[in-house]
Amino acid sequence: MIFDTHAHYNDSQFDSDRDELLASMPENGVGLIMNACSNTGEINNIIALCEKYPFMYGAVGVHPEDAVAAEPDYLDTLRRFSFHPKIRAIGEIGLDYYWTTDTKAAQQRILGEQVDLARELKLPVIIHDREAHGDTMRILTEHKVWECGGVFHCYSGSAEMVREITEKLGMYVAFGGSVTFKNAVKPREAAKAVPLDRLLVETDSPYLAPVPFRGKRNSSLYLPRVLDMLSELRGIPADELEAITYENGKRLFSIEAV
């Protein structure tokens, strides 16, 4: 079975066929899905999906692009919803300097506050890191992320940084459709460097569909393409990687036998 450790099935791109698509997951080999959160306004919809589908779990958090708009009491909101039994992580949280650097201060403050909350709640974090590797690593170190653990989702950094993430911070590293892209040199080198017990797969649905579906709406049904690429890179059969990443995801998010 496959564990899609990062998706956004509450996104409006799934409005036309969400239930039909999600209902088809078990028969297509998708055993678990982690639905990540971007802002507090999404939480009720995410929990509703988690309650409807036994194989779906969720996270609560404020994405860096939503950092400036975060309500003054956003931490209280995250804390309150984190006690729902299907909520297993704080995320996605992090830094994103790709579009603008004008919000750096707010992003950094919100990230640090949410890591501290994760440590308080003993929940792992789901980290978004785009064009901000240095500051991301610094803040995670300053806020002792190893006390709660977590994952770098849709990893785009170097193989050298993989060692810092897994050994120094004790975190996992996830790869999705972008590792199949023609110009994905760095992600492929990084994917070969991740220890097997720290490797995860994801989609970031509806974004980043793998080749040959690039540009289309992504879904967990396309994850075999990612596993095939990782199999080629690692020299390990795809079905073995599927089983390894499934167990890794369950361990990270404290999900019992499924």
Side-chain angles (χ1 to χ4, degrees), residues 195-246:
L196 279 178
D197 65 348
R198 295 285 160 170
L199 181 65
L200 299 173
V201 293
E202 62 162 88
T203 58
D204 200 19
S205 298
Y207 314 107
L208 298 175
V211 173
F213 307 106
R214 188 174 183 181
K216 297 181 179 181
R217 186 189 71 176
N218 200 5
S219 87
S220 307
L221 301 182
Y222 294 159
L223 266 176
R225 300 286 181 167
V226 175
L227 286 162
D228 286 344
M229 175 56 70
L230 293 176
S231 172
E232 180 181 330
L233 294 171
R234 303 290 301 239
I236 298 171
D239 59 345
E240 289 186 26
L241 285 175
E242 179 180 315
I244 289 169
T245 54
Y246 190 80

Side-chain angles (χ1 to χ4, degrees), residues 161-172:
M161 191 170 143
V162 161
R163 284 181 272 277
E164 290 188 63
I165 291 168
T166 57
E167 296 174 13
K168 181 180 177 182
L169 302 184
M171 297 177 70
Y172 293 71

